[in-house]
Amino acid sequence: MYSRELLKGILKPIILKLLSEHDKMYGYEIVQHVKEKTEGKVLIKEGSLYPTLHSLTKEGYLTTESVLVGNRTRKYYSLTKEGTGLVVPALNELIDFQATLGLLFGKEKPAVS
Amino acid sequence: MYSRELLKGILKPIILKLLSEHDKMYGYEIVQHVKEKTEGKVLIKEGSLYPTLHSLTKEGYLTTESVLVGNRTRKYYSLTKEGTGLVVPALNELIDFQATLGLLFGKEKPAVS
DNA sequence: TGCAATACATCATATTATGATGTATTATTG
DNA sequence: CAATAATACATCATAATATGATGTATTGCA
């Protein structure tokens, strides 16, 4: 059975994948990136993102680095060694999940004739 | 943005799709069917299924019919007209969601080099 | 006879995305 | 130049829902 986490949330895998490709990103950047990549179809809300980033950090998968740009603070997040180790399993599980969705919702039998 | 329902649950779409293909099914049958179809990867729990069936019924998307088999009751569920109208939109949204997952987790840039 | 499978159900709990709200800076536009 | 939008962080109450635990009862099989 798929983990409850996977069935409920794709936010952590998204963050892990992005950080595996980008070395370091800050919250607002993640939101914009996902928005563009998904053609505006996935809009991560601050209320979802920041708690998730904090929890991943607390769990030891991310480290932070605050940078002052002008007078505005930017908090960069990057993968720890542990976080890096999490990327591939998380993606594999998601990919497998997609395939399973295919089994369930594949086109062998059309929903409506 | 995808509905919260979709992001959180695939159970309702599963039920709708199955009932659109099977005319009438009972709870235990749904569990077994999904288990077989997904090679044991999606195991619907009774604690998830029955409340969902009840809520779909309450919302007018399903009707029930109790049948006595031996001394054991079987409660068959089938789609109402409203429920049938729900099938295609629900599946389309899910299929679109799968495609969007592809945008996010596609293989253009491998997660690990 | 006892265990697994069949078949229904409810309820407390845990998880987590969202919306609301807050603060503050910077850029744009009328 | 003033107002607005965008940038950038954050917290908290709420809502939604899958799960695990628990319960009842029948049926089939070893």
Side-chain angles (χ1 to χ4, degrees):
Chain A
M1 184 61 168
Y2 290 109
S3 69
R4 182 191 293 188
E5 284 70 28
L6 173 63
L7 292 171
K8 281 174 73 178
I10 57 167
L11 193 49
K12 282 190 181 181
I14 287 176
I15 292 170
L16 293 172
K17 174 101 191 298
L18 282 182
L19 287 177
S20 78
E21 293 169 348
H22 287 86
D23 202 57
K24 60 175 59 176
M25 295 180 89
Y26 53 100
Y28 193 80
E29 191 184 8
I30 292 174
V31 172
Q32 298 306 317
H33 200 89
V34 170
K35 184 183 171 186
E36 284 170 29
K37 221 172 175 182
T38 63
E39 297 154 12
K41 286 177 180 174
V42 176
L43 304 175
I44 302 173
K45 305 301 188 324
E46 289 111 318
S48 314
L49 180 67
Y50 291 111
T52 303
L53 286 173
H54 298 162
S55 96
L56 283 171
T57 304
K58 201 175 170 188
E59 292 168 298
Y61 299 121
L62 304 181
T63 46
T64 64
E65 182 193 353
S66 286
V67 175
L68 219 68
V69 179
N71 276 331
R72 190 148 53 191
T73 301
R74 249 185 219 170
K75 205 163 165 186
Y76 280 96
Y77 292 85
S78 50
L79 291 173
T80 62
K81 194 178 156 191
E82 289 78 22
T84 303
L86 215 58
V87 173
V88 171
L91 294 186
N92 282 341
E93 198 183 8
L94 195 74
I95 288 165
D96 187 47
F97 177 60
Q98 275 188 273
T100 301
L101 284 185
L103 291 178
L104 279 173
F105 297 101
K107 59 258 166 282
E108 329 119 77
K109 290 183 184 178
V112 177
S113 54
Chain B
M1 184 59 169
Y2 290 108
S3 69
R4 180 190 292 188
E5 283 70 28
L6 174 65
L7 293 170
K8 282 175 72 177
I10 57 166
L11 192 49
K12 283 190 181 182
I14 286 176
I15 292 169
L16 293 172
K17 174 100 192 301
L18 282 182
L19 287 178
S20 79
E21 293 169 347
H22 287 87
D23 201 56
K24 60 175 61 178
M25 294 180 89
Y26 55 100
Y28 193 82
E29 191 184 7
I30 292 175
V31 172
Q32 297 308 317
H33 200 91
V34 170
K35 185 182 171 187
E36 283 170 28
K37 221 172 173 180
T38 63
E39 297 154 12
K41 287 178 180 173
V42 175
L43 304 175
I44 302 173
K45 304 302 187 326
E46 290 112 317
S48 314
L49 179 67
Y50 291 111
T52 303
L53 286 173
H54 297 164
S55 95
L56 283 171
T57 304
K58 202 176 169 188
E59 292 168 296
Y61 300 120
L62 303 181
T63 46
T64 64
E65 183 193 351
S66 285
V67 175
L68 219 68
V69 179
N71 275 330
R72 191 146 53 189
T73 301
R74 250 183 218 171
K75 206 164 164 187
Y76 279 98
Y77 292 86
S78 49
L79 291 173
T80 61
K81 197 178 154 190
E82 290 76 23
T84 303
L86 215 60
V87 174
V88 172
L91 293 185
N92 282 340
E93 199 184 7
L94 195 73
I95 288 164
D96 188 48
F97 177 62
Q98 274 189 274
T100 301
L101 284 185
L103 290 177
L104 279 172
F105 297 100
K107 58 262 168 278
E108 329 120 77
K109 290 181 183 179
V112 177
S113 54

